[in-house]
Amino acid sequence: MSKGKRVRAQRQAAPPPVGKNQPADRRIWIAAGALVGVAIIAGIAIAVTRSGGTAPAKTVDEAAMPSLQDGPAPWGNGIADLANRLQVLGMPALSQEGSVLHIHQHLDLFVAGKRVTVPAGIGINDGSFIAPIHVHDTTGVIHVESPTHEQFTLGQVFAVWGVRFTATRVGGYRATTDQPIRFYLDGKPYKGDATQLVLGSHQEIAIVVGNAPAHVPARYAFAAGE
């Protein structure tokens, strides 16, 4: 066989099959690639759990929200028109808490330096239905218990609550030079649009209207299992 024919034959030869007949260095690269793939998938799963889901949060059309409380604090739990607000939000009225996504946050609200109680029963119509976002008691712990993996926002919390909430307004309070409205996430100032703040696991969220308290909380001691 001529040299040219030998070269062409070598080029046309099939690569060695995958498996133990592969060269050692090729098997190492394949194994490393598989481990990287597993790590990426695990990282995505962790990120989904911490950020609240994969599907982006639904937009809150506040102008279409019925029965929003727009007076001074404290506010009620807004149950009276909850079903209609859930419909506008595109959020299901569940017969029981969802189990696909289950995370918690803590909300602190201060007006003129004084803490305002977050009422019990937000998003819960006893004996009838419960919203994927709800509050059981007056601790300020928000429960996100959804039947689907999706993101939820602070704006949706207030829409379920039935309290007017924009980047410059909370209930009947408007942000002014003399009475600013400031937002904090884990003790640090939050400079973005707070209505779009995506809820994650074990966040400490603080809203300060007017004078700040002596201490803005940076964390919350969640109960075991929360």
Side-chain angles (χ1 to χ4, degrees):
M1 181 183 294
S2 68
K3 181 178 180 180
K5 289 182 179 180
R6 286 199 303 273
V7 171
R8 286 194 294 273
Q10 290 170 357
R11 288 176 177 174
Q12 292 172 358
V18 175
K20 59 185 178 181
N21 292 328
Q22 288 242 356
D25 58 345
R26 183 177 178 84
R27 294 199 302 272
I28 291 171
W29 279 108
I30 291 173
L35 289 174
V36 170
V38 171
I40 290 173
I41 292 171
I44 291 173
I46 293 171
V48 165
T49 300
R50 289 180 177 171
S51 67
T54 53
K58 298 180 178 69
T59 301
V60 176
D61 182 4
E62 192 180 69
M65 287 291 140
S67 305
L68 290 182
Q69 302 172 76
D70 56 5
W75 303 291
N77 60 21
I79 293 301
D81 224 352
L82 173 61
N84 290 329
R85 288 197 304 277
L86 291 182
Q87 187 172 9
V88 174
L89 286 168
M91 195 177 290
L94 304 173
S95 59
Q96 61 184 8
E97 295 165 326
S99 59
V100 173
L101 176 65
H102 188 182
I103 55 176
H104 304 90
Q105 308 76 38
H106 185 259
L107 177 64
D108 276 302
L109 178 62
F110 301 93
V111 175
K114 297 181 179 180
R115 187 186 301 274
V116 174
T117 299
V118 177
I122 294 171
I124 302 173
N125 192 332
D126 287 329
S128 181
F129 62 87
I130 188 169
I133 298 173
H134 53 270
V135 173
H136 288 284
D137 52 33
T138 59
T139 60
V141 174
I142 301 166
H143 297 249
V144 178
E145 296 175 71
S146 170
T148 57
H149 265 309
E150 59 183 290
Q151 294 180 339
F152 293 93
T153 64
L154 187 58
Q156 288 174 305
V157 172
F158 277 83
V160 171
W161 186 357
V163 175
R164 191 169 298 284
F165 184 66
T166 71
T168 59
R169 185 170 179 180
V170 180
Y173 305 102
R174 295 178 184 273
T176 65
T177 302
D178 296 331
Q179 182 181 264
I181 297 177
R182 288 162 287 187
F183 305 94
Y184 296 83
L185 178 61
D186 298 331
K188 298 178 181 179
Y190 184 81
K191 300 300 185 181
D193 182 350
T195 67
Q196 302 301 312
L197 193 162
V198 176
L199 302 179
S201 181
H202 290 181
Q203 291 169 325
E204 164 58 37
I205 302 168
I207 301 174
V208 176
V209 179
N211 295 332
H215 172 69
V216 174
R219 61 184 59 85
Y220 177 77
F222 290 88
E226 284 188 339

